[in-house]
Amino acid sequence: MPHAELQLACTPGIGATLGSRLIQHFGTAERALAAGERAWRELGVPRAACAALAASDNARLDETERWLEAPNHHFITRDHRHYSSALAELDPAPPWLYGLGDTELLNYPAIAIVGSRNPSPAGLEAAREFGSALASAGLVVVSGLARGIDAAAHEGALAADGMTIAVCGTGLDRVYPAMHKELAERIAGNGLLLSEFGLGTEPARGNFPRRNRIIAGLCTATLVVEAARASGSLITARLASAAGRDVFALPGSIHNPLARGCHQLIRDGAKLVETTDHILEDIAGVLDGYRRQHTYTSDHEHEDVESAAASAIESDDHATLLAALGHGPARVDDLVARTGWSADAVSSTLLILELEGRVQAGPGGAYTRAVS
């Protein structure tokens, strides 16, 4: 029998919401599949979906299994080692996700950058700058692959050789909007495409609030760059706030209609930000707690017997990077060339040193030693 969650996910009429209800009610996906039509109907499963659950053939399952055979194609369930602990806190948590790319990024601290699909030139530039700077600081930049602010945030992260996740409102065999096909391919090759929706799912109005819930739940904080008062970005921000996550908003001119949504968020309690430092300072406690509980190794496992050695290595790494930094400003690329480390290793260590007050980020993504 195929993986029970995958069989359930590939059943027509059973989406993540109904699938989550079935698993919660019956305890496991296996029990949900074996429950029978009467039990399914009592739980509110539509008649057509009951018939599909009872059917022995499932063309969508066969197609998905073939898709999963390709490199870096993933079906991520709650027991997957890279299932995000942040998403697990949602009620209900997504029972499964499809991934294309590096699922390890789900274990890193992340920030959402969202905003208007039709931003001003200044808004686009701000999204790129914040995406680049936050990625350079070691955060995963998460957005929704939409036109405008979303795409600019992804582009900024990629330009900094940083980490980015695009949460999609379609199946991962589709790209929406189609104009972002090349961007989606770059994200899949250097980051992660993520979706709650099965293969073949086309864009639909109801998909995007569900996508926004994943974006908000995945992240430590959400930054809104530009948004009108009636904007899907405000939905993401409110979902983030409801999940207990920080919400930041970039202020703008009182004459700019795309600033009104951000101003409304600020009036409602979002934090006004003007620089990356405002965000990093505010979430430093969360990130420091994350750093104490996790390592940035490929499997994120920390053995107690190795903790003393790991601390010594970490201290040596900090000293090595500080020596490479010297006493003048240097960008991540400069430090990669001087140390021979990967961009991720340099960015992660810089984030730790910044949280410890030993380095500070400056204009253009350059770092200097902090003035004591």
Side-chain angles (χ1 to χ4, degrees):
M1 176 182 286
H3 195 288
E5 278 90 350
L6 183 60
Q7 186 175 349
L8 197 59
C10 292
T11 301
I14 305 294
T17 301
L18 188 50
S20 181
R21 190 192 313 164
L22 285 165
I23 292 171
Q24 286 186 344
H25 181 81
F26 293 108
T28 67
E30 289 84 358
R31 290 174 184 165
L33 287 170
E37 183 169 357
R38 181 175 179 180
W40 298 330
R41 293 286 291 167
E42 288 176 352
L43 202 60
V45 178
R47 190 177 300 278
C50 287
L53 280 170
S56 57
D57 61 325
N58 188 330
R60 186 182 295 175
L61 176 61
D62 295 339
E63 178 189 4
T64 304
E65 288 180 323
R66 288 192 296 272
W67 183 84
L68 289 170
E69 291 172 359
N72 295 321
H73 287 205
H74 308 278
F75 183 66
I76 307 159
T77 58
R78 292 288 302 274
D79 58 358
H80 190 285
R81 68 192 183 102
H82 289 158
Y83 187 95
S84 167
S85 58
L87 283 179
E89 295 173 1
L90 295 180
D91 185 19
W96 53 69
L97 295 161
Y98 299 84
L100 177 51
D102 184 1
T103 59
E104 191 175 341
L105 270 61
L106 294 170
N107 295 127
Y108 285 68
I111 183 163
I113 301 179
V114 297
S116 173
R117 286 177 168 80
N118 299 290
S120 68
L124 274 179
E125 184 60 27
R128 288 192 196 97
E129 289 179 356
F130 273 86
S132 177
L134 291 167
S136 294
L139 291 165
V140 179
V141 172
V142 179
S143 201
L145 198 65
R147 296 189 307 273
I149 296 300
D150 287 22
H154 291 307
E155 292 280 7
L158 290 169
D161 292 324
M163 300 174 287
T164 189
I165 295 174
V167 184
C168 305
T170 65
L172 293 185
D173 57 339
R174 305 285 192 273
V175 174
Y176 180 80
M179 63 185 289
H180 287 165
K181 183 176 186 297
E182 188 267 343
L183 175 59
E185 289 172 352
R186 288 166 56 209
I187 294 172
N190 299 279
L192 178 66
L193 298 175
L194 197 67
S195 180
E196 188 177 30
F197 303 102
L199 300 186
T201 303
E202 300 285 355
R205 182 182 295 273
N207 293 2
F208 294 98
R210 290 171 59 184
R211 177 206 63 178
N212 293 348
R213 179 174 180 266
I214 300 296
I215 293 173
L218 191 59
C219 297
T220 296
T222 292
L223 169 65
V224 182
V225 175
E226 277 189 339
R229 281 180 177 163
S231 168
S233 303
L234 301 192
I235 296 174
T236 306
R238 286 167 185 143
L239 289 168
S241 181
R245 315 292 159 78
D246 286 320
V247 176
F248 301 97
L250 206 64
S253 167
I254 60 172
H255 303 294
N256 179 5
L258 292 175
R260 291 174 185 166
C262 292
H263 294 167
Q264 182 64 53
L265 287 173
I266 293 167
R267 287 194 296 273
D268 291 343
K271 298 167 185 177
L272 183 153
V273 296
E274 296 173 312
T275 69
T276 307
D277 286 345
H278 292 162
I279 296 173
L280 293 175
E281 288 167 6
D282 211 88
I283 64 175
V286 173
L287 297 181
D288 193 44
Y290 179 93
R291 179 174 61 83
R292 288 196 300 268
Q293 296 174 33
H294 297 77
T295 64
Y296 287 98
T297 57
S298 61
D299 60 5
H300 293 272
E301 295 175 353
H302 200 139
E303 299 291 343
D304 290 341
V305 294
E306 297 176 351
S307 60
S311 296
I313 292 170
E314 182 180 85
S315 179
D316 288 345
D317 286 347
H318 295 179
T320 298
L321 195 62
L322 284 170
L325 180 60
H327 294 282
R331 296 169 59 87
V332 171
D333 289 347
D334 301 324
L335 296 171
V336 167
R338 294 174 191 175
T339 61
W341 297 359
S342 69
D344 284 352
V346 169
S347 296
S348 298
T349 306
L350 281 172
L351 175 60
I352 294 168
L353 291 171
E354 187 170 12
L355 293 173
E356 292 176 347
R358 301 171 72 184
V359 303
Q360 58 190 19
Y367 286 82
T368 57
R369 289 180 185 242
V371 178
S372 58

